[in-house]
Amino acid sequence: NAGVTQTPKFRVLKTGQSMTLLCAQDMNHEYMYWYRQDPGMGLRLIHYSVGEGTTAKGEVPDGYNVSRLKKQNFLLGLESAAPSQTSVYFCASSYFGGLGNEQFFGPGTRLTVL
Amino acid sequence: AQTVTQSQPEMSVQEAETVTLSCTYDTSESDYYLFWYKQPPSRQMILVIRQEAYKQQNATENRFSVNFQKAAKSFSLKISDSQLGDAAMYFCACNTDKLIFGTGTRLQVFP
């Protein structure tokens, strides 16, 4: 099993450009999450999904959109990138949303917005 | 709103020795879980250990154990017999509805 994979691993954008980050999991998990990690801060939740076709806002959703058309994939979109979105983005998944459920993380995508 | 605080940005330990990483949290919820995640240089987060708030017994996973003090809202991680492979960022996290992370502690392990 590959677990949680993320594409791409690195990306450099110019201000105003758009891009989509792809997250895929092969564990048949219901829940999927997108986080961002900035220096000196912990991971912060951007958006999440509780199942195919659903999405919900997390702690820092502004400037991002998401889609979950297939159970195994969770896409994160930046419509008009800003330097403040320079960060490392992590995708995660879990069987369900129970408080004690382990989240399995991908390797991250380092995004730089110039 | 819940918060998680890790007051030690960096810690170091000699190989084979024991080290304790501190974490405090704040929540008004009575039902929650606490976690320690490890982030090695590869960046991929790995679950180290978890603790249910209702359980008084401290969780243990091989060389990793926690000291859960519910009244003090403290959740420290003890790593025994430290190994070079333990070197990483360690994040404490609390889940009452969403998983909230602390800012992390970078652990260095010296031979």
Side-chain angles (χ1 to χ4, degrees):
Chain A
N1 285 349
V4 180
T5 58
Q6 294 182 230
T7 309
K9 289 184 168 50
F10 303 93
R11 185 73 186 268
V12 178
L13 288 180
K14 294 182 179 178
T15 298
Q17 287 185 320
S18 64
M19 76 162 295
T20 301
L21 280 67
L22 169 64
C23 175
Q25 52 93 6
D26 61 1
M27 298 174 282
N28 201 34
H29 286 175
E30 290 293 333
Y31 280 59
M32 296 187 74
Y33 314 81
W34 276 107
Y35 293 90
R36 61 178 288 173
Q37 183 180 28
D38 300 297
M41 303 184 73
L43 277 69
R44 291 182 294 167
L45 183 65
I46 304 171
H47 285 281
Y48 65 100
S49 167
V50 303
E52 183 179 314
T54 74
T55 63
K57 292 181 180 180
E59 184 184 359
V60 288
D62 294 342
Y64 306 95
N65 55 75
V66 288
S67 64
R68 184 119 180 252
L69 299 180
K70 293 183 179 180
K71 185 177 183 179
Q72 64 268 33
N73 295 338
F74 195 29
L75 306 179
L76 178 71
L78 285 73
E79 290 185 348
S80 179
S84 61
Q85 294 178 305
T86 293
S87 188
V88 180
Y89 291 87
F90 288 95
C91 176
S93 68
S94 63
Y95 281 109
F96 296 105
L99 298 181
N101 266 282
E102 176 182 359
Q103 291 188 17
F104 294 81
F105 286 82
T109 294
R110 182 176 294 278
L111 175 66
T112 301
V113 183
L114 303 175
Chain B
Q2 63 199 70
T3 59
V4 178
T5 302
Q6 294 179 250
S7 58
Q8 305 157 317
E10 290 191 4
M11 292 283 285
S12 61
V13 64
Q14 206 85 27
E15 204 175 2
E17 297 295 309
T18 296
V19 64
T20 299
L21 308 184
S22 300
C23 172
T24 58
Y25 63 94
D26 189 23
T27 179
S28 57
E29 301 291 335
S30 58
D31 189 15
Y32 54 91
Y33 268 78
L34 297 162
F35 301 80
W36 279 97
Y37 276 89
K38 173 185 178 181
Q39 186 178 42
S42 66
R43 289 199 317 225
Q44 195 150 4
M45 303 272 282
I46 305 163
L47 177 66
V48 175
I49 198 165
R50 72 187 119 184
Q51 173 84 39
E52 183 179 4
Y54 281 116
K55 287 192 175 178
Q56 292 186 341
Q57 187 172 6
N58 289 325
T60 299
E61 290 286 345
N62 300 314
R63 297 182 296 108
F64 299 87
S65 61
V66 299
N67 183 2
F68 176 44
Q69 301 288 329
K70 191 171 183 179
K73 294 184 177 176
S74 170
F75 184 61
S76 60
L77 174 69
K78 185 171 84 171
I79 306 174
S80 304
D81 187 24
S82 297
Q83 301 175 358
L84 294 177
D86 294 335
M89 282 289 288
Y90 286 83
F91 290 94
C92 178
C94 177
N95 193 354
T96 63
D97 174 37
K98 306 290 184 297
L99 196 58
I100 300 298
F101 288 85
T103 53
T105 296
R106 182 174 301 281
L107 178 66
Q108 293 181 304
V109 182
F110 295 103

